[in-house]
Amino acid sequence: MTHLHSHLHVAVALDGAGWHPAAWREPDARPAELFTAGYWVGLVTEAQRGLLDLVTFEDDLALQSTDRFADDQRTDQVRGRLDAVQVAARVAPVTEGIGLVPTAVVTHTEPFHLSKAIATLDYVSTGRAGVRVKVAGSSSEAAHFGRRSELSLEDLFAEAGDWVEVVRRLWDSWEDDAEIRDVATGRFVDREKLHYIDFEGRFFSVKGPSITPRPPQGQPVVAALAHQALPYELVGRSTDLGFVTPVDAADAARIVGEVRSAQSAAGRADETVHVFGDVVVFLDDDAATARARRARLDETAGEEYRSDALVFDGTPPQLADLLEEWAGAGLTGFRLRPATLPHDLRRITAGLVPELQRRGLFRASYEASTLRGLLGLPRPTNRFATV
Amino acid sequence: MPKQIHLAAHFPGVNNTTVWSDPAAGSHIEFSSFVRFAQAAERGKFDFLFLAEGLRLREQNGAIYDLDVVGRPDTFTVLTALAAVTERLGLTGTINSTFNEPYEVARQFATLDHLSGGRAAWNVVTSWDAFTGENFRRGGFLPQDQRYERARTFLETTHELFDSWRGDEIVADQASGVFLGDADAGRFAHSDAHFDISGRFDVPRSPQGRPVIFQAGDSDEGRDFAASSADAIFSRHSTKEAGQAFYSDVKGRLSTFGRSRDELLILPAATFVIGDTDAEAAELAHEVRRQQVSGQTALRFLEQVWNRDLSAYDPDGPLPDVDPVISEDHVAKGRAQVRMHRDPLAIAKQWRELAEAKGYSIRELMIETQSRQSFIGSPATVAATIDDLVQSDAADGYILVPHITPGGLDPFVDRVVPLLQERGVFRTDYEGTTLRENLGLAAR
């Protein structure tokens, strides 16, 4: 890695009114505006003010449910969501600097469509696009599409790996200088620089080339959330960025080790693969206030909030301590999940970020104009290009 | 009050009519081109911007077609981004119903409608060919005779999804703790030969309820499909006689489906060349046609009728003396207009006679037969022509396709629109905030 080792990367995961199920009932929440452009522009602009590396946008191809595998009948939590790629696209023209990483469900979508959508997000954001790939194992999502039989977990992740491979090949299916506009010969493109990808896999085949020219970053950033061996392998083999969920520093070290092993096994030991720790955050000026707010939200929700990730309540300096400790265990950055929006996002941008800057651990301005640039990833050469 | 004209702008793209060799031609991919184009359309108070779609690069003689503009961005992503830099302009995208799923398309259009404040429109198209299908998991299995059936049931299914939310379910009452006013919001179940899906749709009802539905298609089935379920139809008939015939036929079909004549707008695609005088415009139009049909392009056009490699022929020479090859396997793949050449032998005979009578070379013949602009003249002439066509029911308005990206719309917006406004046949400002309102269509 050529970029500054001492700098941490910080991302924020945006979803609804925040990650706590009662977040929408907080006084500063705007639950009636969750389906408006202004709401999302406001959040991303705030994250950009904090010079964060990127924001992610959650998505599913089903209505939210407390039961991961079936519909529920709850009416006391946020329900309904907009397409994440389009939310990112809507925000892109009115932001700059910050990376935009929507979630794409790979199990039920066409890699050809998503490849051009993310490439186009890269065009409309001038090089700030990424995509977080997600598998969908629930029968309710499958029932929204019909036709497909449910896959085993092994097959879901194998298919996800193929999906990423197809998307990456499609991004490279145009060489950067394919458009020649050669008036003398009348040719707009040099077709020798357009490539069939000819992907043949167990789950699908795709011919190519893309209809969209290679995007500004060459390869937009591919990310995945990973909790266990199969997804760690997907991260090590296929992505630029993994979001993981350690419970403490030792756990973080173990997980990073697993991802690095998977990376080496895939022959990518010399490539940068970021591993960001996910943490749900309740942030206030003093720890007692944060704890009390968490307790109040739990009471409103009627149950204690649980998450796949560590749930932190405390002050920005305390969180900075934790992040520093975990970074020492090998994590290269963090994806913070604000418990409530905009409160915890503002505490990240106005509290945590200045604290990390004081410690010399975070940037003072955007040092690159692309997301790959912010993450210290080089613009990759095209796999199909011949020198 | 005279009939009011509807105007829209088609971002020019993958076709020989888009001139890329002109120094004024910009990028067809960079977002800045789309911003400039969309903002010109909005400055002109146009109803909407229209994006076409392609899902496989075209090929001819077994190789990727390289003479025209190649490559375009993703429709939904560009339209949603354009919602950030425009306020009233409708955002219309062609989305194929063969290589997408209803749940996905419905949530994408509902999202576009939310994020644009009610400006989404969908041009429903179908395809069946295995050539395009090679880019998709499904492959190209759809028999051609099922294309409208699938499109119809696809559209019905998406309407059920849009309608699965009434619009009052998001209560979001912080005091009582009721976010959702109906525990079954979004519930749907649809089963037919093409789709067997059920569950809950996850995007609440959008400002327009449903996007505006466009349909393009000239066959009997296509006209019926549009008359039964579309809000607007794209046609190719930009001349007066053909336009009036199409207009009266399609409007006449509406009553069969219990609809009135003002529930379906007929909007032909139209090109234009504007000059200070009619003579100057005619001269410019000729120059544009020469830019659109190079010698190489002329040969490729001819190959599409002859269905054989003609690269050995001289475009400035006479037509080939060999006959077209009649075969199901065609040298051109992924080109919609190939289907128009239904009787190649008859076309070849007709073209030979025309070329002989006029002394045309291959290129001259192709310029004459394959590349004609709809509206050529001074701003006054073009405004009068369009007004006459709309008042005489040849159309309800036009979807203008400039030949240059991204500045090609400017002469029309800056010079013709003010004249239409003076005539009292075109708005001086948007009437509503949603596309349905601006098109004068009822809420759905």
Side-chain angles (χ1 to χ4, degrees):
Chain A
M1 287 195 289
T2 54
H3 70 304
L4 298 168
H5 286 268
S6 60
H7 278 198
L8 294 179
H9 298 281
V10 179
V12 160
L14 298 176
D15 188 24
W19 286 73
H20 193 286
W24 69 273
R25 297 186 63 185
E26 287 291 278
D28 66 341
R30 296 189 289 152
E33 295 173 35
L34 298 179
F35 309 99
T36 64
Y39 179 79
W40 296 96
V41 170
L43 293 178
V44 178
T45 304
E46 180 61 32
Q48 175 184 312
R49 198 171 292 135
L51 305 173
L52 303 190
D53 290 81
L54 61 97
V55 293
T56 62
F57 304 91
E58 296 302 304
D59 209 359
D60 284 310
L61 292 172
L63 197 66
Q64 299 96 322
S65 173
T66 45
D67 181 341
R68 269 183 63 203
F69 297 100
D71 293 335
D72 68 14
Q73 291 278 302
R74 293 187 77 138
T75 57
D76 63 333
Q77 297 178 359
V78 168
R79 292 291 181 267
R81 224 189 232 132
L82 301 177
D83 179 84
V85 176
Q86 289 171 266
V87 172
R90 177 62 182 76
V91 167
V94 290
T95 53
E96 52 187 306
I98 194 162
L100 303 169
V101 182
T103 299
V105 176
V106 306
T107 310
H108 300 293
T109 57
E110 294 284 351
F112 191 86
H113 285 316
L114 262 299
S115 165
K116 63 187 162 65
I118 302 303
T120 303
L121 180 62
D122 211 37
Y123 280 104
V124 304
S125 66
T126 54
R128 295 181 286 130
V131 60
R132 175 234 166 162
V133 298
K134 183 180 185 180
V135 303
S138 80
S139 56
S140 53
E141 273 168 297
H144 293 163
F145 291 83
R147 226 176 351 93
R148 296 205 73 196
S149 54
E150 281 176 53
L151 298 179
S152 68
L153 205 58
E154 284 73 18
D155 282 350
L156 281 171
F157 277 93
E159 186 186 55
D162 283 1
W163 196 96
V164 174
E165 174 67 16
V166 167
V167 166
R168 287 193 180 282
R169 285 194 202 178
L170 286 168
W171 286 333
D172 277 351
S173 65
W174 289 57
E175 294 184 37
D176 291 312
D177 53 357
E179 185 179 315
I180 52 172
R181 298 194 185 219
D182 184 31
V183 177
T185 59
R187 294 175 305 148
F188 182 79
V189 287
D190 177 355
R191 61 185 169 218
E192 300 303 313
K193 293 175 184 291
L194 298 177
H195 302 275
Y196 296 104
I197 68 165
D198 286 322
F199 180 87
E200 300 277 350
R202 279 169 60 206
F203 307 96
F204 48 81
S205 59
V206 176
K207 179 77 180 173
S210 178
I211 63 158
T212 306
R214 196 169 191 240
Q217 295 184 99
Q219 293 272 319
V221 172
V222 177
L225 173 63
H227 298 102
Q228 51 174 295
L230 278 171
Y232 294 153
E233 282 168 26
L234 177 68
V235 168
R237 189 174 65 242
S238 303
T239 76
D240 305 295
L241 169 59
F243 303 120
V244 300
T245 53
V247 295
D248 57 32
D251 196 30
R254 176 189 65 80
I255 293 169
V256 171
E258 288 203 42
V259 172
R260 297 293 173 229
S261 299
Q263 191 182 336
S264 296
R268 300 178 69 209
D270 57 347
E271 292 178 36
T272 299
V273 175
H274 282 288
V275 184
F276 283 15
D278 270 23
V279 185
V280 181
V281 296
F282 293 82
L283 290 173
D284 282 294
D285 292 339
D286 65 88
T289 308
R291 273 197 304 277
R293 188 161 58 89
R294 179 178 174 179
R296 177 167 53 75
L297 279 153
D298 282 354
E299 193 179 340
T300 304
E303 61 193 339
E304 187 187 344
Y305 175 61
R306 294 174 186 282
S307 171
D308 55 321
L310 180 82
V311 182
F312 174 90
D313 54 43
T315 66
Q318 288 171 335
L319 179 60
D321 290 343
L322 178 89
L323 303 190
E324 256 195 278
E325 187 198 351
W326 284 19
L331 294 172
T332 56
F334 298 91
R335 185 175 74 145
L336 305 178
R337 306 183 193 172
T340 75
L341 291 167
H343 180 98
D344 291 303
L345 173 60
R346 288 200 180 131
R347 298 299 160 127
I348 291 166
T349 57
L352 177 70
V353 164
E355 178 63 27
L356 291 174
Q357 287 169 332
R358 267 193 291 279
R359 299 182 189 196
L361 295 173
F362 198 66
R363 67 173 64 87
S365 64
Y366 282 118
E367 70 274 22
S369 62
T370 67
L371 178 54
R372 291 189 76 92
L374 292 181
L375 295 176
L377 300 166
R379 188 175 191 279
T381 53
N382 191 317
R383 76 195 64 198
F384 296 110
T386 47
V387 183
Chain B
M1 186 163 144
K3 198 173 153 190
Q4 294 295 296
I5 295 170
H6 292 283
L7 291 176
H10 178 165
F11 188 90
V14 180
N15 206 307
N16 79 291
T17 51
T18 309
V19 174
W20 52 262
S21 54
D22 193 294
S27 172
H28 300 81
I29 293 296
E30 299 297 332
F31 186 55
S32 55
S33 287
F34 290 87
V35 174
R36 173 158 178 209
F37 189 82
Q39 290 180 341
E42 189 162 78
R43 188 171 77 242
K45 312 298 178 194
F46 281 33
D47 288 287
F48 61 90
L49 171 145
F50 170 69
L51 289 186
E53 187 188 39
L55 298 173
R56 176 94 191 252
L57 298 186
R58 296 176 298 156
E59 293 182 3
Q60 194 153 324
N61 301 326
I64 289 167
Y65 196 84
D66 59 358
L67 302 180
D68 297 348
V69 168
V70 179
R72 52 177 122 211
D74 176 66
T75 302
F76 281 118
T77 314
V78 165
L79 291 179
T80 311
L82 285 174
V85 295
T86 55
E87 289 177 0
R88 298 295 182 90
L89 187 69
L91 302 164
T92 304
T94 299
I95 292 294
N96 191 296
S97 64
T98 308
F99 302 111
N100 288 285
E101 296 299 324
Y103 194 92
E104 189 180 25
V105 167
R107 81 190 297 268
Q108 287 171 309
F109 273 113
T111 296
L112 177 61
D113 208 43
H114 277 290
L115 293 176
S116 64
R119 298 188 275 142
W122 175 18
N123 179 36
V124 186
V125 299
T126 58
S127 71
W128 65 88
D129 62 300
F131 178 70
T132 307
E134 282 178 358
N135 281 335
F136 295 94
R137 300 184 189 207
R138 299 174 63 102
F141 68 90
L142 189 68
Q144 184 172 347
D145 59 5
Q146 286 182 26
R147 58 191 297 233
Y148 283 110
E149 186 194 316
R150 179 175 161 106
R152 192 162 22 246
T153 124
F154 193 107
L155 191 58
E156 276 167 21
T157 310
T158 55
H159 282 171
E160 286 169 29
L161 293 168
F162 294 132
D163 291 348
S164 68
W165 292 72
R166 295 179 310 270
D168 58 357
E169 293 92 343
I170 304 291
V171 177
D173 181 30
Q174 293 177 306
S176 68
V178 175
F179 184 85
L180 202 58
D182 176 355
D184 273 320
R187 179 82 56 200
F188 70 93
H190 181 100
S191 185
D192 65 31
H194 293 276
F195 306 105
D196 184 9
I197 61 174
S198 63
R200 290 179 77 178
F201 187 51
D202 67 340
V203 184
R205 197 167 180 82
S206 69
Q208 292 189 111
R210 298 176 186 174
V212 174
I213 302 295
F214 291 88
Q215 216 275 318
D218 212 11
S219 67
D220 197 49
E221 274 183 302
R223 292 179 187 205
D224 263 350
F225 178 46
S228 67
S229 35
D231 297 304
I233 184 166
F234 289 160
S235 85
R236 285 193 297 268
H237 307 289
S238 61
T239 63
K240 191 165 185 173
E241 278 172 18
Q244 285 175 326
F246 182 82
Y247 192 98
S248 103
D249 175 81
V250 175
K251 294 262 182 178
R253 293 173 190 243
L254 286 163
S255 60
T256 318
F257 302 98
R259 304 177 74 202
S260 68
R261 287 174 70 84
D262 54 4
E263 286 182 73
L264 180 72
L265 296 169
I266 293 175
L267 305 172
T271 54
F272 59 90
V273 178
I274 293 160
D276 288 342
T277 62
D278 289 353
E280 188 194 296
E283 205 172 301
L284 274 171
H286 184 70
E287 181 51 34
V288 170
R289 278 150 64 186
R290 286 193 62 79
Q291 288 180 310
Q292 290 170 327
V293 186
S294 68
Q296 289 308 304
T297 293
L299 282 180
R300 299 286 93 78
F301 275 174
L302 207 64
E303 286 176 350
Q304 289 164 22
V305 171
W306 257 253
N307 195 23
R308 62 200 304 166
D309 186 340
L310 300 176
S311 46
Y313 285 81
D314 176 3
D316 296 316
L319 266 65
D321 43 15
V322 295
D323 273 335
V325 174
I326 307 302
S327 164
E328 282 300 298
D329 191 24
H330 203 277
V331 294
K333 294 193 188 305
R335 292 191 79 105
Q337 62 261 47
V338 167
R339 295 195 297 277
M340 293 159 62
H341 303 311
R342 287 204 177 89
D343 189 351
L345 290 170
I347 294 170
K349 180 167 180 287
Q350 192 191 328
W351 281 0
R352 281 198 185 110
E353 286 167 6
L354 180 63
E356 197 155 325
K358 303 266 188 175
Y360 285 154
S361 67
I362 290 173
R363 185 178 180 200
E364 287 163 342
L365 178 78
M366 290 300 101
I367 287 173
E368 284 310 303
T369 60
Q370 300 295 291
S371 180
R372 188 161 312 275
Q373 296 93 348
S374 312
F375 304 128
I376 302 168
S378 67
T381 299
V382 170
T385 305
I386 291 176
D387 190 13
D388 173 56
L389 286 165
V390 171
Q391 303 309 331
S392 59
D393 282 349
D396 292 313
Y398 290 90
I399 297 169
L400 300 167
V401 196
H403 58 266
I404 292 272
T405 307
L409 204 58
D410 297 353
F412 193 97
V413 165
D414 297 332
R415 305 182 68 187
V416 180
V417 164
L419 300 180
L420 294 172
Q421 290 167 332
E422 275 173 30
R423 286 171 169 261
V425 293
F426 189 68
R427 65 167 69 93
T428 53
D429 203 358
Y430 289 104
E431 295 92 8
T433 59
T434 69
L435 177 57
R436 275 190 187 282
E437 288 165 354
N438 287 320
L439 287 173
L441 297 166
R444 297 294 286 268

